Every structure is written in C-alpha cells, then in structure tokens.
Amino acid sequence: MTSITLSPEVSAAKAAGTAIVALESTIITHGMPYPQNLEVARQVEQDIRDAGAVPATMAVLDGVLHAGLTDEELEGLAQAKDVAKVSRADLAVCMSQGGTGATTVAATMIAARLAGIDVFATGGIGGVHKGAEESFDISADLTELGLTPVTVVAAGAKAILDIPKTLEVLETNGVPVIAYGQDSFPAFWSAQSDLTAPLRMDTAAEIARAHLMRAAIGLPGGHLIANPIPAADEIAAEVLAPVIAQATAEADAQGVTGKGVTPFLLARIFELTEGRSLVANIALVRNNARLAAKIAREIIALKA
Ligand code: PSU
Ligand code: MN
C-alpha cells in the first residue's frame, strides 16, 4: 500500500534533486469560482516552473493521494462539483473510502511530508475565526503547522479571521511566524497590518537555514512565512471591512458552521466585491509561489 502517488513530473524532479513546491487544492475547489480557479491553478504551477522548481498540487482522486496532478486531473478537479474538503481529520477516511477530496493547508502539509517536500505555497491559511470564544472555530491548519515540518508561504491571514488570536494560537503551537521583508504581519489583501510579526527575514536563504535548523534540532512542525501582497495589487482595509462584516453576519444568520464557514465567506466576499477580491487573491498567490520556489531552491543548495 503506497501512501502517496507522485506524478511523472514530481517523480522526475525527486530523482534529479530538483526543488519542488507543494500546492493545495481546496483553494481550487472551495476558494475560487470556475473557470478562474483552473486558470489560476495552471498559472501558479507555471510560475513555479519559471522560477526553476517543480509544482506538486495535492489532491485525493478516487481514494489515491496524489502529489502532482496531470493537466486533465487538474481540470477535472476544477470543474467537479461536491468535492470534499479534506483536512487532517478526514484525509485518511477519504482515501480509505475511495473518495475524491481537495486538500486544505493542513492536509497538503501532511501530503508534502509524505512526498518529502519541504516548501508549500498558498494564498491564506485558516485561523481563529471571529467569535471563536463562542464557536470554538479554530482551523486545524494552526495545529498542523505545529506538527508537520513544512515551510508554508502565505500572504498572512484574511480579515475574516481574528488575526491577533490567530497569532496567539500559532505561538502556543510553537510555530515561527516570519514576515518577509517587513516588520508588520501582512493582512492578505493589505500588505501592512497594525500588528508586528513575531519574526522578520529578508532573504530566502535565511528562511531556508531556519527550516533546516528546526529539523536539525529535532523539532516537529513548520514555519509560516507571511509574504506581503505586492503594493500594486492591494485592496485597502477600509474597502473590505464592511464586506467582511456583511459576509460574516450572513454566515451567522444562515447558521453556517464547521468546514462550511471559510468557503461561504470566500464566496460571499467574491460576490460582494464583484470579483475585485479575486484579482488581488490571484496576484498574491503567484507572489507566494515565486518566493516558495526560491526558498525550495535554497534548501536544496544548502543540503548539497
Ligand atoms: N483562506 C483563504 N483561502 C482559502 C482557504 C483559506 O484565504 O482557500 C482554504 C485553505 O485550504 C485553508 C482552508 O486550509 O480554507 C481552511 O479551512 P478551515 O477554516 O475550515 O480550516
Ligand atoms: Mn473551521
């Protein structure tokens, strides 16, 4: 029983010692509408190749956990309806039942570890939701970052989350949170927030050294690299605040709970901004893919 199946491209990269960057698939199935989701998935894969690394998009297809999808597989997933969203809790169940599922940040980290991949690029991680003191809605992504040795490049956390509480839980879980090239923790659509990130690094090489040192001293868990959105693509926090407030209120009024919360909010924000949120989202994911490829290449260079 093999736990994970590598695509021909990923398999060749492993054999050749080429840098590899993991990508999640929940962003494709539950984070963006079709057909932009497919265009973005392909574009981000190409960005990673252009930066000298190989992309490995993770997903469960008919019970098989894949690291790297063919273009047909990617297209099938992007068009499919009712794909499960799988995190740590349901990954093995989805596989044992022969199901098809898109991987969250947590499940993608688990898949990356199984495939021997150190670095993973995404848009935003899950976190502590607003009102968590009542709902207890805290993403399994935050637990995974404390358990699984993968460096995750994201654009900070979305303002649908309680960002100060998200940073507290990451600290409790022993996760180094590193802002790239600035002091403040980026807030997804905005490069700056009024929170100072716990750590700052200015080069991919410095991040690669921290990643390898964590492994060398035997600590489990990864790093969260918070990479600010490029200035040209930012959306002002004042523009999004009322949109987020409305989407959150609707989720509450409609009784949306559990793993439905994040996809509901992402879809409503897309509608309420008439697609403006998606343009920024695409720019920041591509920016994260390029940085992740650099870090992955530095790790390979340091291991050599
Ligand atoms: N945040 C985003 N875009 C996303 C997600 C989060 O800005 O696509 C997805 C990721 O796959 C993340 C998951 O791992 O949602 C978190 O879901 P939950 O809050 O249910 O843990
Ligand atoms: Mn949740």
Side-chain angles (χ1 to χ4, degrees):
M1 197 166 80
T2 46
S3 56
I4 191 157
T5 297
L6 308 185
S7 69
E9 187 185 15
V10 170
S11 184
K14 286 209 73 79
T18 307
I20 306 174
V21 174
L23 296 167
E24 61 155 309
S25 46
T26 295
I27 191 172
I28 303 173
T29 56
H30 294 73
M32 296 181 182
Y34 181 82
Q36 291 99 328
N37 61 348
L38 179 60
E39 288 161 25
V40 176
R42 285 183 173 142
Q43 181 67 64
V44 170
E45 288 201 345
Q46 194 54 45
D47 289 331
I48 289 170
R49 293 188 191 99
D50 292 345
V54 163
T57 301
M58 308 296 184
V60 182
L61 305 177
D62 300 322
V64 178
L65 177 58
H66 289 259
L69 303 180
T70 64
D71 196 59
E72 297 76 63
E73 288 166 344
L74 199 62
E75 186 165 354
L77 196 67
Q79 288 183 348
K81 304 220 167 17
D82 304 321
V83 176
K85 168 183 164 187
V86 302
S87 189
R88 165 173 279 261
D90 20 37
L91 178 61
V93 170
C94 181
M95 293 167 68
S96 68
Q97 295 183 331
T100 290
T103 53
T104 62
V105 168
T108 302
M109 291 178 72
I110 295 169
R113 179 179 54 75
L114 288 170
I117 298 171
D118 292 294
V119 184
F120 161 26
T122 187
I125 59 159
V128 180
H129 278 269
K130 290 189 165 127
E133 57 275 28
E134 282 295 318
S135 68
F136 273 55
D137 188 348
I138 301 174
S139 177
D141 294 350
L142 302 184
T143 316
E144 203 62 50
L145 279 159
L147 290 173
T148 298
V150 175
T151 285
V152 180
V153 183
K158 275 205 168 107
I160 59 175
L161 302 172
D162 185 321
I163 297 177
K165 287 193 180 68
T166 298
L167 290 173
E168 289 293 348
V169 172
L170 285 165
E171 188 196 0
T172 302
N173 292 351
V175 180
V177 176
I178 301 165
Y180 183 66
Q182 66 180 33
D183 292 328
S184 97
F185 184 71
F188 200 83
W189 288 295
S190 311
Q192 307 287 334
S193 71
D194 48 17
L195 296 162
T196 301
L199 297 162
R200 168 185 176 153
M201 290 186 183
D202 292 328
T203 65
E206 212 181 340
I207 296 168
R209 284 195 295 274
H211 175 96
L212 292 171
M213 185 59 77
R214 188 169 175 112
I217 64 170
L219 283 182
H223 292 76
L224 177 62
I225 310 305
N227 187 28
I229 185 173
D233 303 303
E234 278 189 281
I235 309 181
E238 311 83 79
V239 174
L240 282 164
V243 168
I244 290 165
Q246 183 180 338
T248 307
E250 287 177 13
D252 285 344
Q254 294 178 34
V256 182
T257 56
K259 62 168 66 190
V261 172
T262 298
F264 178 93
L265 295 174
L266 297 179
R268 279 305 280 148
I269 292 166
F270 170 76
E271 289 164 5
L272 292 168
T273 60
E274 293 165 344
R276 173 84 179 80
S277 66
L278 185 60
V279 176
N281 205 336
I282 293 168
L284 66 84
V285 176
R286 296 185 63 187
N287 190 48
N288 295 343
R290 289 185 290 261
L291 176 58
K294 269 196 210 169
I295 297 167
R297 293 184 61 179
E298 292 287 354
I299 290 173
I300 296 271
L302 286 170
K303 276 182 179 170

